Amino acid sequence: MVAVEAGPAQGQRFRLPASGAVVGRSRGAILFPDDPFISPHHATLVVKEGKLFVRDESSTSGVFVGIQAQVTIPVEGEFAVGLRRFRFDGPLDPTPAQGRVAMYGAPLPASQLHYRIEELLVGGRPGRAIVSSSSIITVGQGRCDLSFPGDEALAPRHCELSPLPTGLMIRDLSGGLGTFVRITPGVERPLKLGDRLRIGQQVLAVEAG
């Protein structure tokens, strides 16, 4: 069974058939027709040998799974906290692009890598971004490197980010509010009791039947 833990459909519960269920806006057994961020066929919950998996069906907004303690995502990987969505763009190349005329700007120190993390706004538009060489970047409601005082779904210090040349380690400090990472479309991700999914505006929790 899955329950809507947060979002406009909070309180709804869906019992899963033995074969699983499709989640979408207009197709499937688990429907959210009023959520504009859910694709017609957004995801599939698959049951195999008594185990539950989720698969992103190349949806527009993606499927995000809540993390336990900490996890590492790759360059170009995405994560979501509160009402915010972010992308890890990886390290900046300290060498400017070669060409006949170079664009003027401040140089990056050659002795240390700088990393870029960008917020994604509705429609995939770029939002706030941070470029830093710090080993830890914080996200939360206030007094963080990325602060969003008006987001009540964020903890004061919601998560810590540790940039790496090949990925981003994310540590959840939200006290149960949740930090979510986007899964790869088409790949079945295993789920267990208590796991949470963010699909559109909805947060779904896996419960016992």
Side-chain angles (χ1 to χ4, degrees):
M1 178 178 290
V2 293
V4 184
E5 190 176 84
Q10 183 176 4
Q12 291 190 37
R13 280 179 163 78
F14 302 90
R15 186 174 297 277
L16 294 177
S19 58
V22 169
V23 183
R25 192 169 72 241
S26 59
R27 293 178 55 190
I30 301 177
L31 296 177
F32 301 100
D34 299 323
D35 193 328
F37 302 109
I38 291 183
S39 298
H41 182 182
H42 197 104
T44 302
L45 295 170
V46 182
V47 179
K48 292 183 179 179
E49 300 178 352
K51 296 181 180 180
L52 181 63
F53 301 81
V54 62
R55 183 175 63 238
D56 178 6
E57 303 292 357
S58 299
S59 63
T60 300
S61 296
V63 174
F64 293 76
V65 176
I67 70 173
Q68 301 293 329
Q70 65 184 41
V71 72
T72 299
I73 62 173
V75 174
E76 300 297 324
E78 297 181 13
F79 66 98
V81 295
L83 303 176
R84 314 287 166 175
R85 176 179 172 184
F86 300 89
R87 181 181 62 231
F88 176 57
D89 290 331
L92 299 183
D93 187 351
T95 304
Q98 299 299 315
R100 301 179 70 178
V101 178
M103 182 177 292
Y104 178 76
L108 286 173
S111 60
Q112 55 188 181
L113 288 175
H114 284 67
Y115 302 88
R116 187 173 190 270
I117 298 168
E118 182 176 45
E119 182 185 16
L120 300 176
L121 303 181
V122 172
R125 294 170 293 177
R128 290 176 56 187
I130 185 171
V131 174
S132 175
S133 61
S134 175
S135 60
I136 294 180
I137 299 169
T138 55
V139 182
Q141 269 198 349
R143 297 185 179 181
C144 293
D145 298 301
L146 285 166
S147 295
F148 303 93
D151 192 337
E152 296 181 355
L154 283 176
R157 188 182 180 98
H158 197 101
C159 64
E160 290 181 349
L161 315 174
S162 297
L164 305 167
T166 57
L168 179 72
M169 187 173 71
I170 305 173
R171 184 176 299 107
D172 177 43
L173 304 173
S174 68
L177 292 174
T179 299
F180 300 80
V181 298
R182 186 172 184 173
I183 66 174
T184 304
V187 177
E188 293 180 353
R189 169 74 174 263
L191 299 172
K192 61 183 183 302
L193 287 179
D195 279 349
R196 293 189 290 173
L197 303 173
R198 169 164 285 181
I199 296 178
Q201 296 175 302
Q202 321 299 326
V203 176
L204 310 179
V206 179
E207 295 183 344

